[in-house]
Amino acid sequence: LTVMDGADRALEAPQTTSVATRQDGGMVTLDSVITLAVPLSRLPRDAAVFLELRHFKPKEKKMSVKTWSYIAVQSIASGSPPCQCQLFVKPVDPRLRRLKSFTKPPTAFEIEVMANRK
């Protein structure tokens, strides 16, 4: 998870979640709480939270980005229902200019966001 502005600058250090707690068919469950270092009210209007789904490649013995998504900071509201996010083909595009869907038809995933704008 990385928070970036529209000029492709990281606004805080990247954070890593725990490994998936459950995989059921095509659904992966991550049970992690991430707290942003910068309050939402201090983030620029063009900022977004970028999420990368990584997997382990045993042959290369390394983690690799499988797909990614983002949540515009403007769309994060306290008490809102889970965000519906589309998955995109790598590499991550912080400027959101070359978005190509990871699946056909486009598949969304849900992420629950608890926001405190202080």
Side-chain angles (χ1 to χ4, degrees), residues 4-111:
M4 300 182 88
D5 66 11
D8 200 9
R9 291 184 298 249
L11 301 174
E12 62 179 60
Q15 298 183 50
T16 304
T17 65
S18 60
V19 176
T21 56
R22 192 175 69 225
Q23 292 182 333
D24 183 20
M27 187 163 73
V28 176
T29 302
L30 300 171
D31 194 18
S32 295
V33 175
I34 298 287
T35 303
L36 301 182
V38 179
L40 289 174
S41 61
R42 293 197 180 160
L43 292 173
R45 294 185 56 79
D46 65 350
V49 177
F50 289 87
L51 310 152
E52 296 176 331
L53 180 63
R54 295 173 180 242
H55 65 117
F56 185 72
K57 289 186 166 183
K59 207 173 192 178
E60 289 99 20
K61 298 180 183 168
K62 69 175 189 170
M63 296 296 288
S64 177
V65 174
K66 179 81 171 174
T67 183
W68 68 278
S69 190
Y70 74 97
I71 303 169
V73 168
Q74 291 177 306
S75 68
I76 298 173
S78 182
S80 63
C83 294
Q84 298 286 320
C85 302
Q86 185 176 343
L87 297 171
F88 298 104
V89 173
K90 62 182 183 179
V92 175
D93 179 14
R95 295 182 185 209
L96 306 174
R97 293 185 181 158
R98 294 177 298 277
L99 302 177
K100 184 176 177 188
S101 181
F102 182 68
T103 59
K104 292 186 182 18
T107 302
F109 74 94
E110 288 186 354
I111 184 165

